[in-house]
Amino acid sequence: MLQNRRVLVVDDHEDSRSLFEHVLRCEQAYVMLASSVSQALQIVGCYKPHLILTDIALPGEDGFSLLRQIRQMSLGQIKRVPVVAVTGFVSCDLLSEVQQAGFQECLLKPVDLDRLLQTVKTLTSPKLVEFDWDTRLNQSIFF
């Protein structure tokens, strides 16, 4: 169960957002949706998610831009939130870039929903919520 965990889903495809929302809400997570980086940044300050799940390929600014802007925020809790990349474009170069950028995990489309839930549970566990993300911002946990 993901009870009381707040997840922000950022994807420009409505069907992907809806699927992630449905799966996460079935596990009792609170879910907010955004279709762009600018929309996500508007939501993130007031919503204070425990985790951000973002597509890499977004119109305008991409998931890398969202991660950079989150990490530059002055709000300590927000700038340390785990960010999970989602992508349908698989290449060694992209996976390396995702890892180097500081995403905590990368899920490949079509997303395995069991892996999605396990990733959210793991990255929002009470032990990791207290984890010192400042020392891990540019490191990946699961790669």
Side-chain angles (χ1 to χ4, degrees):
M1 288 280 177
L2 298 173
Q3 194 168 12
N4 298 323
R5 294 185 179 126
R6 296 181 304 273
V7 179
L8 173 58
V9 175
V10 186
D11 199 305
D12 58 318
H13 297 325
E14 185 176 345
D15 45 341
S16 293
R17 286 192 314 269
S18 295
L19 175 62
F20 294 148
E21 177 183 30
H22 175 74
V23 170
L24 294 167
R25 287 197 178 176
C26 283
E27 292 293 315
Q28 299 183 344
Y30 296 112
V31 182
M32 290 294 293
L33 304 173
S35 60
S36 66
V37 169
S38 61
Q39 199 175 46
L41 292 171
Q42 289 176 359
I43 293 170
V44 84
C46 60
Y47 183 60
K48 296 183 174 91
H50 293 114
L51 182 131
I52 298 171
L53 183 68
T54 184
D55 191 12
I56 293 292
L58 296 166
E61 296 179 271
D62 61 16
F64 292 105
S65 176
L66 175 61
L67 177 65
R68 279 190 302 275
Q69 291 180 63
I70 294 285
R71 297 298 183 236
Q72 293 171 358
M73 289 183 148
S74 60
L75 302 169
Q77 177 186 5
I78 297 301
K79 78 180 203 177
R80 292 188 298 266
V81 67
V83 181
V84 175
V86 179
T87 184
F89 306 104
V90 183
S91 74
C92 290
D93 289 342
L94 178 64
L95 294 177
S96 177
E97 189 177 352
V98 165
Q99 181 181 10
Q100 290 175 4
F103 287 94
Q104 277 65 50
E105 178 66 277
C106 183
L107 300 175
L108 304 178
K109 290 182 179 179
V111 173
D112 177 310
L113 298 179
D114 290 331
R115 181 157 181 221
L116 167 69
L117 291 174
Q118 186 58 50
T119 298
V120 174
K121 285 176 186 175
T122 300
L123 291 174
T124 62
S125 73
K127 290 179 183 176
L128 283 181
V129 170
E130 298 301 321
F131 189 74
D132 182 9
W133 287 107
D134 285 332
T135 62
R136 297 292 302 250
L137 287 180
N138 291 316
Q139 299 177 16
S140 174
I141 295 173
F142 295 106
F143 283 97

